[in-house]
Amino acid sequence: MNHRLWAASALLLFSLTSTNVEAAENLECMDLGYSGTELAAMDRFVEKYGLADWQAAKRLPNDIENSIATRLRYCADANAWPQRAIEQAVYYKVSILTAAAIDKNTPLSSQQMAQLRGAYSSTDSKRLMSIMLPALDAIFAVKAVPVPSEDDISYLNEHITRRSGLPINNEVTNYIGAWLLTRGMVEITKRRFSEF
């Protein structure tokens, strides 16, 4: 999977540099300060972006990229974020939007989605993140996503798909994979941001 989405997101960083070495704070700044027009554009993206767009690594619309870039410059300057935190902040905001879109545009029924969320919340988060981390790092680096091991696939089938009572077929497993990865992206970018 060649994630042009993330390559494009990285372009938002072009003019942001900082030498501050203190811990980064206030990631929530990236969720604030957008105009009504900007928020409406993000809402439209969430309404339309689905699994096929994710699989094709469809880019964010230019107006949304520009909005995020403008907000990123403000937040980075206002909070003296170091460069590595700046990178996580832009990935975080893109992750928030894609996770919301994948969650909304689902082939599953509302009951099945509730079951999926329940299975996710009751799964060992450390084990789940260890499965997702190689894929997440590959996506952020715009590299091919590695195939999970048989043990990891078995764990996901047992603790996510079967626990949520969902059928194991291509459509469902592809959707669950995208759903898990977009949620994982939000979690890992928040965690990495706080480490800088």
Side-chain angles (χ1 to χ4, degrees):
M1 185 184 300
N2 180 5
H3 267 268
R4 295 184 303 278
L5 172 67
W6 299 99
S9 300
L11 296 177
L12 298 175
L13 307 173
F14 69 96
S15 66
L16 293 167
T17 56
S18 173
T19 56
N20 191 306
V21 294
E22 295 180 11
E25 296 178 343
N26 195 21
L27 180 59
E28 298 79 11
C29 181
M30 289 299 299
D31 296 321
L32 306 171
Y34 299 98
S35 70
T37 301
E38 289 172 320
L39 291 173
M42 292 178 190
D43 287 344
R44 285 193 299 273
F45 172 81
V46 169
E47 287 287 333
K48 294 179 180 179
Y49 185 93
L51 179 60
D53 298 312
W54 164 261
Q55 291 172 327
K58 186 175 178 181
R59 286 183 61 159
L60 292 175
N62 288 338
D63 58 341
I64 295 178
E65 286 187 2
N66 292 337
S67 297
I68 293 174
T70 298
R71 188 64 191 168
L72 184 65
R73 289 185 187 95
Y74 170 81
C75 292
D77 289 345
N79 295 283
W81 288 342
Q83 184 65 29
R84 291 176 69 190
I86 290 169
E87 294 171 5
Q88 298 307 312
V90 71
Y91 292 151
Y92 160 79
K93 187 59 184 177
V94 175
S95 298
I96 287 286
L97 292 173
T98 53
I102 293 296
D103 189 73
K104 182 173 186 61
N105 299 299
T106 173
L108 305 180
S109 68
S110 57
Q111 179 180 348
Q112 288 175 321
M113 284 302 295
Q115 292 167 192
L116 175 58
R117 293 183 188 109
Y120 177 83
S121 65
S122 63
T123 301
D124 180 346
S125 60
K126 288 184 180 178
R127 176 73 172 98
L128 198 55
M129 191 56 67
S130 74
I131 294 172
M132 290 193 289
L133 198 53
L136 295 175
D137 283 337
I139 290 169
F140 289 137
V142 198
K143 295 181 179 178
V145 175
V147 177
S149 70
E150 289 298 323
D151 284 347
D152 289 345
I153 291 171
S154 295
Y155 183 88
L156 292 173
N157 284 339
E158 180 65 29
H159 294 273
I160 299 292
T161 312
R162 287 197 183 98
R163 186 179 287 175
S164 59
L166 298 175
I168 298 178
N169 59 48
N170 281 342
E171 181 183 35
V172 170
T173 55
N174 286 340
Y175 176 75
I176 290 174
W179 188 85
L180 288 172
L181 285 172
T182 54
R183 292 178 73 94
M185 286 174 178
V186 174
E187 293 179 20
I188 196 65
T189 54
K190 286 171 70 173
R191 181 195 304 172
R192 286 177 173 171
F193 175 88
S194 67
E195 291 172 353
F196 302 126

